[in-house]
Structure formats: structure tokens, C-alpha cells
Amino acid sequence: MSKVVPCMWFNGDAEEAAKFYVSLVPNSAITHVRRNVSDGPSGKEGSVLVVEFSVAGQPLVALNGGMKMEYTHAISLMIHCDDQAQVDSVWNAFLAHGSKEEQCGWLRDRWGVAWQVVPKVMFEFLSSPEKAAAARAMQAMMKMVKLDVEALRRAFEGKSAA
């Protein structure tokens, strides 16, 4: 069976975007750059057409499609972070490269792609059989911009903010 690989549309800067994305987290790399074999809507002969890359092991493709296309929140890419230090590192890297903060751990990068920067522990909280604790964690997350692991933990445990 073939893999499903998200293809992201860019207007001439697919390689720049891919280089930025692979800088975010370990186990990320550009695996192949394909060039235009002739002049066309996506660029001149020899210019970058497609960049195959992975972020945290997830294969992705960046395509220079030849015109600007808008991304929506209907699809986003999620980075599962091991801890607050990784959340902070990834979040700050996005902001340093022109991203805009949004609610609940979401960012919109300079190309318009929606990303979610989420600590892995958030999924543990939300899937807890303790429904009241899970609800407290969800309510706390809904009030955040960048997710704060300790504040989420305090909410999950029913403790007030320190």
C-alpha cells in the first residue's frame, strides 16, 4: 500500500520553506529536490519544482505550483513535542521566521501554513478516563496561545495556578 504524503503548495519558495521546516525538530531532512525540466508555470528550466522532505519522520512534499494559493485552518500540521523545552524551541523558531501566534497552540507560518505545537502529554490529559480532569485540561488549553505544560498539568490535577 502506498503512503499518504501531504503536498504543500508554494509560489517559488518551496525549497526555502522545506529548509526551515526541517530545522524545527530532530529526525527531519530534505530527501530529494526535483527541478523543472523545461520552462513552465512552476518556473524556469532548472528551478526547483518539488522538494521531498520529512519533519519528525513524517514525509512531506513542497511543490512550487506557479501561483500563490491560500491555506486554511481546514488542514494543519501538528508537531508533537516531548516537553515544554521542545514546545518553546519550536514555537520560538516559528516566531523568529515570521509566524503569527494563534489560539490553543496554533501558529500560522509566513507561508500561511497552519501548525499546531502540542506537548505529547496533552493527549494523555484529554484521553484520561477522569472526565472532569480531562475537561479542566481542555478548558485551560482553550485559554492559551502557546501551550504551557505545567499550567495544563495543574488544571488537569485540579490545582490552582501557582
Side-chain angles (χ1 to χ4, degrees):
M1 166 84 56
S2 298
K3 286 186 179 182
V4 174
V5 178
C7 180
M8 304 161 68
W9 184 289
F10 295 90
N11 186 23
D13 48 4
E15 188 172 29
E16 179 184 351
K19 284 178 179 178
F20 170 63
Y21 298 150
V22 302
S23 75
L24 294 171
V25 291
N27 194 24
S28 302
I30 292 176
T31 54
H32 198 273
V33 176
R34 299 186 192 285
R35 299 195 174 275
N36 284 302
V37 295
S38 62
D39 292 356
S42 60
K44 297 283 187 195
E45 179 179 343
S47 65
V48 173
L49 174 62
V50 172
V51 181
E52 296 174 49
F53 64 107
S54 65
V55 174
Q58 170 62 50
L60 298 161
V61 171
L63 165 71
N64 279 325
M67 69 179 107
K68 181 148 177 65
M69 299 293 278
E70 298 297 323
Y71 291 97
T72 74
H73 280 97
I75 189 164
S76 63
L77 300 174
M78 183 181 294
I79 298 177
H80 292 171
C81 297
D82 293 329
D83 52 28
Q84 188 67 51
Q86 191 175 41
V87 168
D88 293 346
S89 174
V90 170
W91 191 267
N92 292 337
F94 272 112
L95 292 180
H97 288 86
S99 296
K100 299 205 177 354
E101 297 175 306
E102 297 183 348
Q103 186 176 342
C104 303
W106 288 58
L107 294 152
R108 178 78 59 165
D109 73 21
R110 66 181 226 156
W111 295 279
V113 178
W115 291 82
Q116 297 178 58
V117 181
V118 182
K120 290 177 184 175
V121 71
M122 187 70 207
F123 296 100
E124 295 172 26
F125 295 156
L126 296 180
S127 63
S128 171
E130 297 177 45
K131 291 190 186 294
R136 288 190 303 269
M138 175 63 99
Q139 289 169 351
M141 181 202 61
M142 295 300 291
K143 296 175 186 169
M144 295 179 182
V145 176
K146 178 177 73 172
L147 300 186
D148 178 327
V149 172
E150 284 311 308
L152 291 166
R153 186 178 314 284
R154 285 192 306 272
F156 179 79
E157 294 171 352
K159 298 177 181 173
S160 62

